[in-house]
Amino acid sequence: MDIIPEPDGPLEEEDIFTSAPLRLTVDLGALAENWRDMDRRSGKARAAAVVKADAYGMGIEDAGEALYRAGARDFFVASVDEGVTLRHYAPDARIFVLAGIWPGTERRFFQNDLVPVVSSEEQLAFWMAVLADYGDYPCVLHVDTGFNRLGLGMEEALALVDDVSRPASFAPVLVMSHLACADDPQSPMNKEQLNLFRQVAAAYEGIDASLSASAGIFLGEDYHFDVTRPGITLYGGQAVNGMANPMRPVASAQARIVQIRHVKAGQSVSYGRALRLERDSRLAVVAAGYADGYMRSQSNGGVPLRQVVPKPGQGFVAGHRVPVAGRITMDLTIFDITDVPEHDVKAGDYVELFGHNIPVDEAAEAAGTIGYEMLTHLGLRYARAYIEE
Ligand SMILES: *Cc1c(COP(=O)(O)O)cnc(C)c1O
């Protein structure tokens, strides 16, 4: 017999998850296995773990702790805030802050043992001034080899090596750069950046060097240096275009069917009557919309991107793939479930938006984007369960 909880008794997390309209399952076992996999693929180099943007939307607390337990001891975050949070879950790890250091934040770096990634002349000048007061403290030098985002120029970086004016306490522990085209193994850009970075690594001999994020690791040993920086692959996403994805899925997103409706051929669905039904149809209205990162651009009809990406998004329910019907709205998405046998699906069931059956990269592609964006746009309404399979 079911036990009915006290009306004002505390709800267990599990109950909240079971009854949630929108839920995200994060498999920490798969996350740990993916990190070990990338560490192995990194050969003699050791793999760090990139956990910026709340660990690609998975939750930096749980993901950070799981990666630490898996053996990761080098972490990259984007911001100081992320570093401060992560510190609780990775007590003796090295935490590198990609956004670097700004005046006013140095105390938080020192107090939480965070290492700044210095990537411009201004940051370098500021950091030198800070060090003159503070004394020995590690940093990372980010050198731009053609990406033209962050990083010191090649000349500045090479000149710095024997710059006698730098304070004795200036102690870079890592030099790094970032590849622009590693997702395309054929791109000549990879070799060009590799050759430039080799000069940097040679000039900073004795200091660890790091060039590759997830995709670069697949380019082979030449690209590994001492430390690799996998991010997306840890979370099960695809790094290299056109290659079968070898990673385990980590995130599974599901939305509840709020209502099933029977609609006659010739009727239209959702905003703008963008989709006209060609047959009598059964439609499932589910509790996820673009406010939950189920992007409007994967609608079926009436969104300009549909001319670029020919297929609408698909959900998965009762063993069937089901296409999005009409436009995705803020809180709700409609799926065409006409081809699913009627007794197999009812209101209250869940449709998988992505996960084991619909790879996150496939959902992203239908939206005209990449798995990275899908994962980091999940929004605040998901109930989350962290499991270990
Ligand atoms: C985000 C990022 C990474 C991780 O990239 P993935 O493609 O997710 O593996 C590594 N290095 C830098 C500098 C980054 O900004």
Side-chain angles (χ1 to χ4, degrees):
M1 214 182 78
D2 285 346
I3 297 168
I4 298 163
E6 296 287 324
D8 54 357
L11 269 177
E12 296 294 327
E13 243 173 67
E14 222 168 275
D15 300 328
I16 293 172
F17 188 76
T18 309
S19 61
L22 194 56
R23 55 198 200 187
L24 185 79
T25 308
V26 179
D27 184 346
L28 296 175
L31 175 68
E33 191 44 54
N34 285 341
W35 180 80
R36 285 187 214 104
D37 187 0
M38 293 314 282
D39 192 43
R40 277 192 296 273
R41 288 178 198 270
S42 300
K44 290 195 209 81
R46 50 183 202 285
V50 180
V51 294
K52 60 194 183 188
D54 203 24
Y56 290 50
M58 300 297 95
I60 195 169
E61 291 93 346
D62 293 86
E65 186 173 40
L67 289 162
Y68 181 84
R69 272 194 283 124
R73 288 296 178 272
D74 294 304
F75 288 84
F76 287 85
V77 294
S79 68
V80 187
D81 286 346
E82 292 173 344
V84 171
T85 305
L86 178 64
R87 178 51 77 207
H88 299 286
Y89 302 91
D92 59 351
R94 294 200 298 184
I95 301 177
F96 303 115
V97 180
L98 288 165
I101 188 156
W102 288 87
T105 61
E106 58 271 31
R107 286 252 310 275
R108 297 186 80 205
F109 273 85
F110 297 142
Q111 282 168 358
N112 297 282
D113 204 6
L114 307 177
V115 180
V117 177
V118 174
S119 49
S120 69
E121 290 268 36
E122 291 96 322
Q123 285 193 358
L124 188 63
F126 172 68
W127 182 240
M128 299 282 199
V130 169
L131 281 185
D133 285 344
Y134 190 84
D136 287 353
Y137 199 83
C139 70
V140 176
L141 293 179
H142 190 168
V143 183
D144 189 87
T145 49
F147 198 113
N148 282 312
R149 188 174 60 174
L150 293 179
L152 296 163
M154 282 291 292
E155 281 177 25
E156 297 159 8
L158 295 176
L160 184 64
V161 179
D162 30 46
D163 179 352
V164 289
S165 72
R166 63 188 229 181
S169 54
F170 179 69
V173 290
L174 184 79
V175 283
M176 62 174 273
S177 190
H178 195 50
L179 296 167
C181 302
D183 59 348
D184 173 10
Q186 305 308 319
S187 171
M189 182 83 177
N190 296 323
K191 248 317 185 4
E192 288 168 28
Q193 288 192 270
L194 175 64
N195 289 335
L196 291 178
F197 190 65
R198 277 184 167 145
Q199 293 178 41
V200 177
Y204 285 88
E205 210 202 324
I207 292 171
D208 281 347
S210 175
L211 178 61
S212 288
S214 294
I217 294 168
F218 291 92
L219 292 175
E221 207 180 344
D222 284 355
Y223 289 80
H224 293 165
F225 293 88
D226 304 300
V227 177
T228 59
R229 307 189 305 271
I232 191 69
T233 43
L234 307 181
Y235 311 102
Q238 172 136 3
V240 183
N241 293 334
M243 190 187 89
N245 183 358
M247 311 317 294
R248 295 171 177 222
V250 169
S252 174
Q254 297 177 319
R256 182 198 281 143
I257 300 175
V258 182
Q259 191 179 106
I260 292 177
R261 30 189 341 122
H262 296 255
V263 185
K264 290 277 180 226
Q267 297 252 324
S268 64
V269 183
S270 191
Y271 285 119
R273 336 182 79 173
L275 179 72
R276 299 267 187 167
L277 297 174
E278 287 171 5
R279 56 177 181 173
D280 293 352
S281 304
R282 256 165 52 251
L283 303 177
V285 182
V286 314
Y290 58 75
D292 309 298
Y294 202 63
M295 293 168 196
R296 186 172 173 273
S297 51
Q298 57 194 323
S299 297
N300 193 348
V303 176
L305 244 182
R306 283 271 66 77
Q307 288 142 27
V308 184
V309 185
K311 270 194 340 189
Q314 294 193 327
F316 190 87
V317 64
H320 294 260
R321 284 172 166 261
V322 291
V324 170
R327 282 189 193 157
I328 291 167
T329 68
M330 187 183 291
D331 313 309
L332 297 163
T333 298
I334 302 154
F335 288 93
D336 185 338
I337 57 165
T338 314
D339 294 330
V340 185
E342 193 150 3
H343 54 267
D344 283 358
V345 53
K346 58 182 187 311
D349 290 352
Y350 286 83
V351 172
E352 176 187 303
L353 305 176
F354 61 82
H356 289 273
N357 302 292
I358 310 278
V360 63
D361 292 287
E362 185 191 317
E365 194 183 334
T369 184
I370 53 178
Y372 297 70
E373 194 176 9
M374 201 90 196
L375 290 177
T376 53
H377 275 65
L378 293 173
L380 304 170
R381 296 197 289 204
Y382 276 93
R384 286 158 178 259
Y386 292 92
I387 61 163
E388 231 158 303
E389 272 186 355

